[in-house]
Amino acid sequence: MALPQAKQDALAARIAGLSFARDGWLGAARGEALARLSAMGLPVRRDEYWRYTDPSSLTAVEAPAAKVFDASDESPIFGGIDRVKIVFRDGVFDEAASDDLKLAGVEIERLSRAGGAHIHWARDVYGVLEARGQMPVQRPLAALNSAFATDGLLIRVTGQAARPVSLIYVHESEVSDAILHHCVKVESGAEITILENGPAAARFSKVMEVEVADGGRFHHVRAQGRDHERRAVTHIFARLGAGAVFKSFTLTANGVLTRNEAVIELAGDEAVAHVAGAAVGDGAFHHDDTVFVTHAAERCESRQVFKKVLKNGAVGVFQGKILVKPGAQKTDGYQISQSLLLDEDSQFLAKPELEIYADDVKCSHGSTSGAIDETALFYLRSRGVPERVAQSLLVLAFLAEAIAEIEDEAIAEDIRSRLEGWLARHEH
């Protein structure tokens, strides 16, 4: 069916100033992505999975301006973790600020340098998982990214990574519009931790495609930067082999609009996928987690744990689905989304879904929204804890289940201490 003229015009305007080289394996993948995008058009508010979030500022021709947040009085997150640092400044690789890309057990290349070859392992990953993730729900902004990403990393994990790989996104220009695309291939029995932090740009589009072979393990922890006016749309597409493990956690604070999508396919028996998030929003803050987990094999486990703390009119969205395909017996699927509303002006919109075509499964989902527990608050106040401090303690306790999904305790503690610091600023 042909796209409506309005969608054709909007897409033509959005991509008019974008281009890509058509040589090598990457050029072919980009061409296929552009064909997918042209068939779908850009998302609009009427689309089913965009009912709660207005995509217009993500699809506009020009990125809305965003002031740069001054975080000079804060120590860098993950600063105490021994890691390989790779820096992108407004979407451009900063070689001078980055570490050497050599790491035992890991091969790291830049997308912009590897894409011209005719044979490369990333040819079987780049755009491939994104294309699989377009059914049954269309994700046109991911296809836009695959077609026009200016750079990114190709990470092949062949053994036990000696250190985490840390991607640092620096925002310096108030009108920057960054598009990055990463591919990660974890070979059988290999393991890696990927860290991400920083606001990246005024408007940021990022796709990460992750293929985890049998027995491989992938850990992912990110902290999305505190720039108040930034906008971001991110996608993680993952496919897991037998006995593979995928764990991803995201901390978000501030940002006028953030849409994080995770599309995960458990393709091999006994695979495990955990995806979690903690968001803290104040005022002009709209945060959307959209998750789709497909169980396509036996004895697999998935967990979705999302917590949002909202005040002063902030809006939180959660759209999460567990799809259990025929034959995916002994599935264990868990999904929980909760919000803590610190005033009557804030809003939490949730759409939890289960679709099950196997008869021997254990699946559950729940979504709740409420205020601070007044009994617990009274208990702390009665023991001399100031009200704002007591409220911060209860907020941390509320977010604890999501943070507990981080397997590395040193990284989890870094996230907890960062949250404590941010909350403490509001106690005075």
Side-chain angles (χ1 to χ4, degrees), residues 83 85-89 166-170 195-197:
R83 60 206 163 115
K85 298 184 290 294
I86 304 174
V87 179
F88 290 89
R89 201 172 298 276
S166 179
L167 312 184
I168 301 168
Y169 305 119
V170 179
L195 305 176
E196 296 185 281
N197 71 280

Side-chain angles (χ1 to χ4, degrees), residues 247-377:
K247 293 189 176 182
S248 176
F249 170 86
T250 299
L251 170 66
T252 306
N254 295 346
V256 68
L257 174 60
T258 303
R259 165 95 164 201
N260 294 326
E261 298 199 30
V263 183
I264 303 167
E265 180 185 5
L266 293 91
D269 294 345
E270 299 181 340
V272 174
H274 293 191
V275 57
V280 180
D282 185 353
F285 173 91
H286 186 106
H287 188 273
D288 181 335
D289 284 302
T290 294
V291 182
F292 199 113
V293 175
T294 299
H295 285 259
E298 295 186 353
R299 300 180 302 281
C300 292
E301 170 190 309
S302 69
R303 286 176 58 86
Q304 302 175 41
V305 181
F306 288 88
K307 303 291 189 85
K308 301 180 193 291
V309 180
L310 309 168
K311 70 176 182 177
N312 293 328
V315 176
V317 175
F318 175 78
Q319 301 178 106
K321 184 164 186 174
I322 301 173
L323 170 62
V324 182
K325 288 190 171 182
Q329 305 295 355
K330 303 295 183 181
T331 284
D332 183 356
Y334 172 78
Q335 179 195 99
I336 186 72
S337 61
Q338 296 177 313
S339 73
L340 187 61
L341 306 180
L342 301 184
D343 55 43
E344 296 182 356
D345 297 324
S346 299
Q347 190 176 20
F348 179 59
L349 306 168
K351 184 184 178 185
E353 297 179 273
L354 294 176
E355 189 173 346
I356 301 172
Y357 297 99
D359 54 13
D360 185 7
V361 304
K362 181 174 68 174
C363 291
S364 65
H365 68 82
S367 182
T368 63
S369 185
I372 283 278
D373 185 334
E374 292 296 334
T375 301
L377 186 62

Side-chain angles (χ1 to χ4, degrees), residues 339-421:
S339 73
L340 187 61
L341 306 180
L342 301 184
D343 55 43
E344 296 182 356
D345 297 324
S346 299
Q347 190 176 20
F348 179 59
L349 306 168
K351 184 184 178 185
E353 297 179 273
L354 294 176
E355 189 173 346
I356 301 172
Y357 297 99
D359 54 13
D360 185 7
V361 304
K362 181 174 68 174
C363 291
S364 65
H365 68 82
S367 182
T368 63
S369 185
I372 283 278
D373 185 334
E374 292 296 334
T375 301
L377 186 62
F378 176 79
Y379 175 85
L380 291 170
R381 292 294 312 282
S382 67
R383 277 149 182 79
V385 180
E387 183 173 3
R388 288 183 176 272
V389 175
Q391 188 176 84
S392 295
L393 290 172
L394 294 175
V395 165
L396 289 168
F398 171 77
L399 297 173
E401 182 183 5
I403 298 172
E405 292 296 324
I406 303 172
E407 192 164 301
D408 187 304
E409 182 52 36
I411 297 174
E413 180 56 33
D414 202 349
I415 291 290
R416 278 191 292 267
S417 63
R418 185 59 46 130
L419 266 172
E420 289 172 0

Side-chain angles (χ1 to χ4, degrees), residues 126-143:
Y126 188 102
V128 174
L129 302 189
E130 173 257 299
R132 289 176 67 89
Q134 297 290 354
M135 292 293 291
V137 179
Q138 292 183 342
R139 306 175 198 279
L141 293 182

